[in-house]
């Protein structure tokens, strides 16, 4: 009896396996026929019919994976993700989780991508690709410590050129360049023609200002992968740094030839043709190409705006400045450039607003205060201009430029006490500033302090004994004081100097002599 029971049980198991194997083979034949179909839509229709008829979890999972791959081929990533999720519900496995992670990365959903890579690792602790993808996501998030952790875990599973390269990148991003260089060297031991390693070594040497070594490594990166556009762009930047602009142009153009995303290279060409070659029309074309490829290339809008302004195309200049600013730029130069356009158009209120906003962004902006100060002077807002000069003097306490300019502004507007104050500031910084003594003398003369003016003109002559104007001004003071011999002597000295200096003779501006 027992023998019969055992025999029956054993036979039932055989029958079950036999039918299962026949079922699997039958499904496999159907899948093969579906894969041979030419029309992708019909493929999806037929695999969908097959899915609806299958109850076996393993087979169902495989079919969902197959349909997911078909959806991927048609770039229907959301449907592909749904099918991969169905697959892991039927038959949880690391490969399906990994594929889901890749699709979420394509959709730029890094959180869900990371979750699925971690799920893949949970099902298969040796799934090396998932470790690398986790590291990649942490790289994108600039979380280099975690990137390093997952790269190291991958390297416990497999040592090759790629793993050393990836870890080298992580070390470099953490500014641990000594370790990065060691890993790059190990990567080259595995693969002496690893172009990306040479590219990163070049970036390191460029950062360290060793341009010769950087150039050697960029050349090798290009030699071993001549179709990779990035080393051409980077080498172009190196040539630009070395002021070898023709070579830089060649590399930027090669970068554009090799990639569909040459926005940065067009921008660099725009800069070279504008600033170095003085070919604004060519520069304009490149800035336009840069913007067409990448509409968020904010600085290209700004630079194109400058060219439009210089060409007198103010409407276009304003439009480009608006694009740069409306794209979220908080770069003060963009506001200053738009302010210059408004100023040239005579829309001074808007110009002042832009200059002021640039100062809010950059509190110690010499350029911003200078632009606003000059516009205040042009509009006759003298006290507002003086306030901006005060701020410029605070920002640059060792410079004579701004106290002297402010003193001259006060002198021209008959604010003689203020003029004397600012000329004294100038002379405190540079006690041999001849023009400051001369102009202070003029302010004192206007106040009726002829002795003080005489002293200042004498100091100016002491600092610059070959400037005729100083002698003429002192001659006038001698006339006022009744020192006619000294007045005549100074006048003659001035005439002698004028005759020796024809340029000065043409441009001298004499003070008005007193009535005798």
């Amino acid at each position: 009896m027992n023998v019969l029971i055992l025999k029956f049980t054993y036979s039932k198991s055989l029958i079950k396996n036999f039918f299962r194997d026949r079922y699997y083979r039958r499904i496999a034949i159907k899948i093969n026929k579906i894969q041979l179909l030419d029309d992708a839509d019909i493929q999806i229709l037929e695999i969908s019919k097959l899915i609806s008829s299958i109850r076996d979890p393993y087979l169902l999972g495989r079919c969902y994976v197959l349909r997911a791959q078909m959806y991927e081929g048609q770039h229907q990533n959301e449907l592909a993700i749904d099918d991969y999720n169905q697959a892991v519900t039927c038959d949880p496995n690391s490969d399906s989780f990994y594929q889901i992670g890749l699709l979420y990365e394509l959709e730029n959903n890094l959180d869900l991508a990371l979750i699925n890579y971690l799920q893949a690792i949970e099902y298969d602790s040796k799934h090396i690709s998932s470790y690398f993808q986790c590291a990649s996501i942490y790289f994108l998030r600039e979380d280099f410590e975690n990137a390093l952790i997952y790269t190291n875990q991958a390297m416990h599973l497999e040592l090759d050129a790629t793993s050393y390269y990836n870890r080298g990148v992580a070390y470099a991003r953490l500014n641990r360049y000594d370790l990065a260089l060691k890993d790059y060297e190990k990567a080259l031991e595995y693969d002496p023609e690893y172009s990306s390693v040479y590219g990163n070594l070049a970036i390191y040497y460029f950062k360290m200002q060793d341009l010769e070594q950087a150039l050697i490594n960029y050349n090798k990166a290009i030699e071993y992968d001549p179709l990779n556009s990035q080393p051409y762009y980077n080498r172009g930047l190196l040539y630009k740094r070395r002021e070898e602009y023709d070579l830089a142009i060649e590399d930027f153009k090669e970068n554009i030839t090799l990639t569909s995303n040459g926005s940065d290279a067009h921008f660099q060409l725009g800069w070279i043709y504008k600033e170095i070659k003085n070919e604004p029309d060519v520069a304009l074309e490149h800035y336009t190409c840069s913007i067409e490829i990448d509409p968020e290339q904010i600085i290209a809008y700004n630079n194109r705006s400058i060219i439009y302004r210089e060409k007198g195309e103010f409407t276009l200049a304003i439009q480009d400045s608006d694009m740069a600013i409306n794209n979220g730029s908080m770069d003060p130069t963009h506001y200053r450039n738009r302010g210059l356009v408004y100023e040239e158009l005579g829309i001074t209120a808007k110009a002042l607003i832009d200059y002021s906003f640039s100062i809010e962004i950059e509190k110690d902006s010499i350029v911003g205060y200078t632009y606003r100060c000059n516009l205040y002077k042009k509009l006759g807002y003298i006290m507002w201009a003086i306030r901006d000069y005060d701020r410029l003097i605070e920002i640059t306490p060792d410079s004579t430029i701004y106290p002297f300019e402010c003193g001259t502004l006060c002198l021209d507007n008959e604010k003689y006490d203020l003029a004397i104050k600012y000329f004294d500031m100038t002379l405190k910084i540079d006690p041999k500033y001849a023009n400051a003594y001369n102009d202070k003398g003029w302010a004192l003369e206007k106040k009726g302090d002829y002795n003080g003016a005489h002293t200042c003109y004498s100091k100016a002559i002491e600092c610059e004994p070959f400037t005729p104007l100083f002698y003429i001004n002192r001659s006038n003071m001698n006339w006022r004081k009744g020192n006619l011999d000294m007045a005549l002597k100074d006048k003659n000295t001035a005439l002698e100097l004028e005759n020796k200096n024809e340029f000065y003779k043409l441009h001298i501006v004499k003070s008005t002599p007193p009535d005798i």
Side-chain angles (χ1 to χ4, degrees):
M1 187 68 153
N2 287 336
V3 174
L4 290 173
I5 291 172
L6 285 172
K7 188 176 181 180
F8 176 76
T9 304
Y10 183 66
S11 299
K12 187 176 181 182
S13 175
L14 273 177
I15 292 167
K16 182 179 179 181
N17 287 335
F18 173 76
F19 281 113
R20 186 188 64 187
D21 291 344
R22 283 186 64 192
Y23 179 63
Y24 278 21
R25 283 197 297 272
R26 186 160 49 84
I27 296 299
I29 290 168
K30 288 184 177 182
I31 289 172
N32 286 336
K33 287 181 178 178
I34 291 170
Q35 289 178 312
L36 291 172
L37 294 171
D38 293 331
D39 191 311
D41 291 332
I42 295 175
Q43 282 184 324
I44 291 173
L45 179 63
E46 292 300 321
I47 197 70
S48 299
K49 290 178 182 177
L50 189 58
I51 286 170
S52 66
S53 68
I54 293 174
R55 295 293 176 264
D56 182 275
Y58 174 80
L59 283 178
L60 192 57
R62 295 303 89 193
C63 288
Y64 275 121
V65 167
L66 182 59
R67 190 171 68 178
Q69 291 168 347
M70 292 175 181
Y71 282 134
E72 280 188 76
Q74 292 194 322
H75 305 291
Q76 298 185 58
N77 291 343
E78 289 186 9
L79 293 173
I81 288 171
D82 288 342
D83 271 0
Y84 278 124
N85 280 319
Q86 289 287 352
V88 295
T89 302
C90 299
D91 177 32
N93 64 86
S94 57
D95 287 336
S96 291
F97 282 116
Y98 175 72
Q99 292 297 331
I100 295 170
L102 290 177
L103 285 170
Y104 277 127
E105 269 202 77
L106 285 174
E107 297 293 314
N108 205 31
N109 191 332
L110 299 185
D111 290 332
L112 287 176
L114 187 60
I115 288 169
N116 279 279
Y117 294 140
L118 293 173
Q119 285 272 42
I121 292 168
E122 185 179 327
Y123 276 91
D124 179 2
S125 60
K126 295 183 179 180
H127 201 274
I128 188 168
S129 297
S130 291
Y131 286 109
F132 278 127
Q133 290 306 121
C134 287
S136 174
I137 288 175
Y138 284 120
F139 268 122
L140 290 172
R141 291 177 169 177
E142 299 188 359
D143 182 351
F144 302 119
E145 291 288 355
N146 270 317
L148 189 59
I149 288 170
Y150 280 95
T151 302
N152 278 327
Q153 287 177 323
M155 291 179 74
H156 286 310
L157 300 173
E158 182 180 348
L159 290 176
D160 61 8
T162 301
S163 56
Y164 277 111
Y165 168 74
N166 287 337
R167 190 170 69 177
V169 173
Y171 281 134
R173 294 295 184 88
L174 291 166
N175 297 322
R176 295 160 71 177
Y177 295 112
D178 53 337
L179 295 174
L181 290 175
K182 287 179 182 178
D183 273 354
Y184 291 149
E185 288 169 5
K186 290 293 290 184
L188 291 175
E189 287 179 18
Y190 280 91
D191 182 359
E193 297 184 2
Y194 201 146
S195 172
S196 296
V197 175
Y198 290 112
N200 277 23
L201 283 169
I203 290 169
Y204 164 76
Y205 286 119
F206 186 84
K207 189 171 185 177
M208 295 296 110
Q209 305 298 319
D210 188 344
L211 300 188
E212 286 302 322
Q213 278 299 318
L215 182 57
I216 288 168
N217 281 279
Y218 279 136
N219 289 341
K220 286 191 174 183
I222 290 168
E223 177 188 347
Y224 292 128
D225 188 3
L227 298 181
N228 183 358
S229 64
Q230 193 61 42
Y232 290 100
Y233 177 79
N234 290 344
R235 191 173 67 177
L237 293 178
L238 185 149
Y239 284 134
K240 181 184 169 190
R241 174 77 64 86
R242 285 166 47 140
E243 299 183 0
E244 298 178 52
Y245 295 110
D246 289 335
L247 291 173
I249 287 171
E250 286 180 20
D251 273 353
F252 291 137
K253 286 183 175 179
E254 188 64 26
N255 171 270
I256 291 166
T257 301
L258 292 171
T259 180
S260 59
N261 184 20
S263 177
D264 290 338
H266 277 296
F267 174 82
Q268 295 296 339
L269 288 168
W271 186 90
I272 292 173
Y273 280 111
K274 170 67 167 65
E275 304 300 330
I276 306 302
K277 299 292 187 180
N278 195 28
E279 297 182 38
D281 290 334
V282 179
L284 192 66
E285 290 176 10
H286 283 293
Y287 285 137
T288 299
C289 288
S290 177
I291 290 165
E292 286 174 353
I293 295 168
D294 180 7
E296 294 185 4
Q297 183 77 275
I298 293 173
I299 194 168
Y301 285 110
N302 180 71
N303 289 13
R304 191 171 70 174
S305 171
I306 293 170
I307 295 175
Y308 282 138
R309 174 169 60 82
E310 291 173 353
K311 289 165 68 73
E313 298 181 38
F314 298 123
T315 301
L316 291 173
I318 291 287
Q319 286 176 1
D320 271 358
S321 290
D322 286 345
M323 286 298 296
I325 291 167
N326 293 339
N327 274 338
S329 171
M330 291 300 285
D331 187 330
T333 61
H334 300 164
Y335 288 92
R336 290 197 292 266
N337 287 334
R338 188 172 68 178
L340 287 172
V341 182
Y342 281 132
E343 187 173 342
E344 291 198 44
L345 287 170
I347 310 174
T348 54
K350 287 189 174 182
L352 286 172
I353 289 170
D354 274 348
Y355 296 151
S356 298
F357 199 80
S358 79
I359 292 167
E360 282 186 35
I361 297 170
E362 188 179 8
K363 302 298 182 186
D364 294 337
S365 170
I366 294 172
V367 179
Y369 279 109
T370 301
Y371 284 5
R372 190 173 71 178
C373 180
N374 288 339
L375 183 51
Y376 281 144
K377 288 193 291 184
K378 188 189 294 185
L379 295 171
Y381 300 159
I382 305 305
M383 295 312 297
W384 287 101
I386 291 171
R387 287 187 186 183
D388 276 354
Y389 272 126
D390 285 338
R391 187 71 186 96
L392 286 164
I393 292 165
E394 285 178 18
I395 297 168
T396 59
D398 297 325
S399 172
T400 58
I401 295 172
Y402 302 113
F404 181 75
E405 283 186 6
C406 191
T408 303
L409 174 68
C410 294
L411 184 61
D412 291 342
N413 287 275
E414 300 181 356
K415 298 181 183 297
Y416 301 121
D417 290 329
L418 279 174
I420 292 165
K421 169 189 166 183
Y422 287 107
F423 291 137
D424 282 340
M425 282 185 190
T426 308
L427 292 167
K428 187 175 180 180
I429 298 167
D430 181 2
K432 295 186 180 298
Y433 200 138
N435 284 326
Y437 283 117
N438 180 73
D439 288 5
K440 179 182 175 184
W442 181 251
L444 289 167
E445 184 180 339
K446 287 294 185 179
K447 284 171 61 68
D449 184 354
Y450 302 130
N451 288 328
H454 186 278
T455 300
C456 284
Y457 294 142
S458 296
K459 289 291 289 184
I461 291 167
E462 182 183 321
C463 296
E464 285 186 19
F466 302 108
T467 303
L469 178 61
F470 301 159
Y471 289 97
I472 291 170
N473 287 345
R474 190 171 69 175
S475 172
N476 292 338
M477 289 305 94
N478 283 322
W479 277 106
R480 287 187 183 279
K481 293 170 67 177
N483 297 330
L484 302 184
D485 290 340
M486 293 300 297
L488 186 59
K489 181 181 177 182
D490 277 346
K491 184 176 181 181
N492 288 333
T493 302
L495 290 172
E496 287 176 17
L497 291 171
E498 285 180 31
N499 290 329
K500 289 179 181 178
N501 188 343
E502 291 299 321
F503 177 82
Y504 186 83
K505 190 174 182 180
L506 291 170
H507 292 83
I508 188 170
V509 179
K510 299 180 182 179
S511 60
T512 304
D515 296 326
I516 302 296

